[in-house]
Amino acid sequence: MKSYAQLYIDGQWVSPVKGGLFETVDPASEAVIAQVAAATCEDIDLAVKAARRAFDEGPWPQMSGAERAAVLRRIAEGIRERQQMLAELEVRDNGKPLPEALWDIGDTAGCFDFYADLAQGLDDQREQSVALADERFSSVARKEPVGVAGAIIPWNFPMLMAAWKVAPALAAGCSMVLKPSEMTPLTALELADIAHQAGLPAGVLNVVPGLGPDAGAPLSEHPGIDKLAFTGSVPTGSRIMQAAARDIKNISLELGGKSPFIIFDDSDIEAAVEWIMFGIFWNQGEVCSATSRVLVQRDLYEPLLQRLVEQTRSLKIGQGLEEGVLLGPLVNRGQYDKVLAAIARGQEEGATLLYGGTRPAGCDKGFFLTPAIFADVPQDSWIWNEEIFGPVVCVRPFTDEAEAVRSANDSRFGLAAAVMSADLPRAERVARKLRAGIVWINCSQPTFTEAPWGGYKQSGIGRELGEWGLNNYLETKQITRYDSQQPWGWYIK
Ligand code: NAI
Ligand code: MG
């Protein structure tokens, strides 16, 4: 029986050892929507042991890719069958507008289908021969699952972030323990139920909601884990890397960003405004790749800002299930206070607040905020350089290409970047100069399961999605054979 008050361990719904619960809140109403099982180190230990058994003794890693693909496709189907329910649950737990949640859940199902295809492909591509210079030997390189994976995910795209880790890990043949964010744990528990009904063997996927220090930390420290995959903030990522260092766990990290968007003055102004908005207002700006630093070439600067304010003014803010809403509340009080503090700090630092940054009229409850537009933001200011993770855009003018590239690259982050120009050779040239893992030309944010995703610099290590996401969960083994009939003849002549 599924219940949000239970953990999913070893194919069963079980109460936490210590019986703890935590509350998850609807950020639009501030009402508690569910009591959720709170895992602690005792439960993490049970979950890791179950995953260990499923990997070391169970059928999953031994199955053919095609057999695993069939289960992944049933999971995708299960998600699609419940798409509306899951999207509404995501709206209530996270705050995002329903059309965005529907988009996320569609992508989540698509991600399972995509990795089902790659799992099937592994049957033909698992082993490749390696040409050796010494003809007395033959060698093959073989891909094998890395083992037991631990995944710790954030609250901004709750079910999609689960899929980005669960789908490739299962495709590879790994077993795993998934810890969703305590802010948005509900769809991950639904995923466990869907995977169970799809016939995933017991112990292959374990879902253990809980608080970061109580559940996330023991998972990252557990010696039974072979690989850790994390998405979230830089400080927590650093802590996870330190925990992984103790026993040299394989890690991948997808961390924060402060991604630049360079707009040359030959750009279409309406298109520029729309992509700026999509780049920072989608999901309330709670997006790791949000293009929060906008650089606009001088001749376009004033007219573009004016148009951006006009369009932003007309954005409908409200509860995510309400018709026409394009901006929901921020995820919780902590994030709301953090974003408000960043806006106050920007004003103190001398940036010009052109619009927004306050509680919208008529929204007395909930973590609602009018999107904030800052102009003339000083290059060395805190708001220009630090991740805010909210609907706050910072804009600066630039004169020429060299200055724009220099300013864009002047960041400790390197997750994403975007460039817009009618001059495609210029846009392509600039894209190649930007130090970021994802670069968009003439758009910002569209994300595809087929293409690699991840950051340079402090934005992370490794790549998710596409074939790169599958490789994240694979080890490479060489098997080398001595074929010569001649004795080796080194010690024994
Ligand atoms: P966080 O990085 O602390 O949380 C992400 C996940 O890590 C959650 O599941 C959390 O329970 C877990 N966690 C927390 N402490 C842990 C620990 N010591 N060991 C293992 N796991 C732990 O991020 P949080 O607190 O939700 O948000 C803080 C800020 O991080 C945001 O304001 C935003 O700036 C940034 N952030 C960035 C994200 C991204 O996708 N790049 C996603 C979420 C937040
Ligand atoms: Mg919530």
Side-chain angles (χ1 to χ4, degrees):
M1 234 285 285
K2 169 177 69 75
S3 159
Y4 297 133
Q6 292 192 305
L7 310 166
Y8 182 68
I9 297 177
D10 209 10
Q12 293 180 323
W13 292 98
V14 296
S15 295
V17 171
K18 287 193 170 159
L21 294 169
F22 67 93
E23 293 176 339
T24 188
V25 166
D26 177 343
S29 64
E30 302 182 37
V32 173
I33 50 171
Q35 301 283 340
V36 183
T40 57
C41 61
E42 293 82 357
D43 307 296
I44 297 298
D45 190 49
L46 291 173
V48 174
K49 284 181 174 146
R52 197 72 262 169
R53 272 194 308 278
F55 186 77
D56 294 337
E57 298 156 30
W60 190 251
Q62 313 304 330
M63 282 181 183
S64 71
E67 287 170 314
R68 285 200 300 274
V71 178
L72 291 175
R73 290 197 183 103
R74 284 201 294 276
I75 294 176
E77 245 169 71
I79 293 167
R80 284 202 187 92
E81 278 163 15
R82 308 183 203 188
Q83 182 163 5
Q84 188 69 28
M85 179 278 284
L86 291 168
E88 289 178 13
L89 196 58
E90 209 79 305
V91 171
R92 287 196 292 135
D93 211 3
N94 164 278
K96 65 179 69 200
L98 182 63
E100 295 188 18
L102 284 166
W103 179 293
D104 289 359
I105 304 300
D107 258 7
T108 301
C111 187
F112 279 95
D113 276 335
F114 177 80
Y115 282 104
D117 290 349
L118 292 201
Q120 201 159 349
L122 268 180
D123 288 341
D124 299 327
Q125 290 153 23
R126 185 172 293 281
E127 296 192 0
Q128 75 184 71
S129 67
V130 179
L132 302 178
D134 188 332
E135 286 173 358
R136 293 172 298 171
F137 297 86
S138 61
S139 186
V140 293
R142 174 180 163 80
K143 291 175 182 171
E144 295 188 350
V146 70
V148 177
I152 299 175
I153 56 169
W155 41 261
N156 51 349
F157 295 91
M159 200 174 192
L160 189 58
M161 289 298 101
W164 282 22
K165 294 182 173 35
V166 174
L170 297 190
C174 292
S175 62
M176 84 187 308
V177 178
L178 170 70
K179 195 208 84 65
S181 166
E182 59 272 38
M183 257 78 99
T184 56
L186 302 183
T187 47
L189 291 167
E190 294 290 345
L191 179 62
D193 187 43
I194 291 166
H196 186 89
Q197 293 187 17
L200 190 70
V204 174
L205 173 66
N206 304 273
V207 180
V208 285
L211 307 185
D214 298 349
L219 180 58
S220 64
E221 289 160 7
H222 202 294
I225 295 277
D226 298 299
K227 195 230 157 61
L228 272 174
F230 173 74
T231 299
S233 66
V234 174
T236 303
S238 168
R239 235 172 266 134
I240 283 172
M241 200 169 166
Q242 287 172 46
R246 277 181 228 159
D247 46 5
I248 322 291
K249 289 186 176 74
N250 174 326
I251 53 166
S252 47
L253 304 172
E254 204 264 78
L255 308 176
K258 188 77 182 182
S259 299
F261 191 171
I262 298 172
I263 295 169
F264 286 100
D265 62 10
D266 57 356
S267 302
D268 176 76
I269 193 165
E270 291 300 307
V273 166
E274 167 135 54
W275 286 114
I276 290 172
M277 292 172 72
F278 199 72
I280 188 67
F281 300 151
W282 171 263
N283 209 43
Q284 295 73 243
E286 296 166 327
V287 180
C288 50
S289 57
T291 34
S292 48
R293 285 190 292 146
V294 177
L295 290 149
V296 184
Q297 202 164 17
R298 259 176 219 288
D299 284 352
L300 196 64
Y301 188 67
E302 292 297 336
L304 181 139
L305 282 172
Q306 197 185 337
R307 198 71 190 113
L308 179 62
V309 170
E310 278 166 21
Q311 288 293 353
T312 301
R313 221 182 271 285
S314 66
L315 259 187
K316 184 168 175 191
I317 304 171
Q319 202 266 352
L321 296 174
E322 223 179 282
E323 189 68 32
V325 162
L326 287 171
L327 197 90
L330 298 184
V331 74
N332 69 355
R333 168 147 332 261
Q335 192 61 24
Y336 190 61
D337 290 344
K338 184 184 156 195
V339 174
L340 285 176
I343 291 165
R345 188 157 181 177
Q347 289 173 287
E348 284 159 23
E349 288 178 316
T352 309
L353 182 60
L354 286 184
Y355 180 76
T358 54
R359 181 176 276 280
C363 294
D364 299 332
K365 264 213 153 107
F367 310 120
F368 293 100
L369 183 71
T370 50
I373 300 169
F374 276 107
D376 307 330
V377 180
Q379 175 87 38
D380 60 356
S381 62
W382 188 92
I383 54 161
W384 182 257
N385 289 288
E386 297 302 324
E387 183 173 56
I388 296 172
F389 227 65
V392 181
V393 63
C394 294
V395 192
R396 275 175 66 75
F398 73 88
T399 305
D400 61 19
E401 183 178 319
E403 182 195 347
V405 170
R406 211 179 319 114
S407 177
N409 284 338
D410 183 10
S411 171
R412 68 190 171 97
F413 299 112
L415 185 55
V419 53
M420 183 170 250
S421 173
D423 177 351
L424 285 185
R426 170 163 67 181
E428 294 281 349
R429 179 172 69 234
V430 168
R432 281 157 185 76
K433 289 182 187 163
L434 292 168
R435 296 270 300 153
I438 303 140
V439 181
W440 284 288
I441 295 176
N442 290 343
C443 63
S444 173
Q445 303 308 315
T447 299
F448 301 94
T449 314
E450 302 83 5
W453 182 274
Y456 285 21
K457 303 194 245 180
Q458 289 185 29
S459 291
I461 297 177
R463 293 293 176 271
E464 300 193 277
L465 298 184
E467 63 190 81
W468 301 269
L470 184 67
N471 285 331
N472 239 334
Y473 295 94
L474 293 169
E475 284 279 17
T476 303
K477 172 187 278 181
Q478 66 154 301
I479 302 178
T480 296
R481 188 174 72 200
Y482 185 56
D483 290 328
S484 170
Q485 298 307 313
Q486 299 297 318
W488 185 234
W490 192 277
Y491 292 108
I492 302 175
K493 303 282 180 198

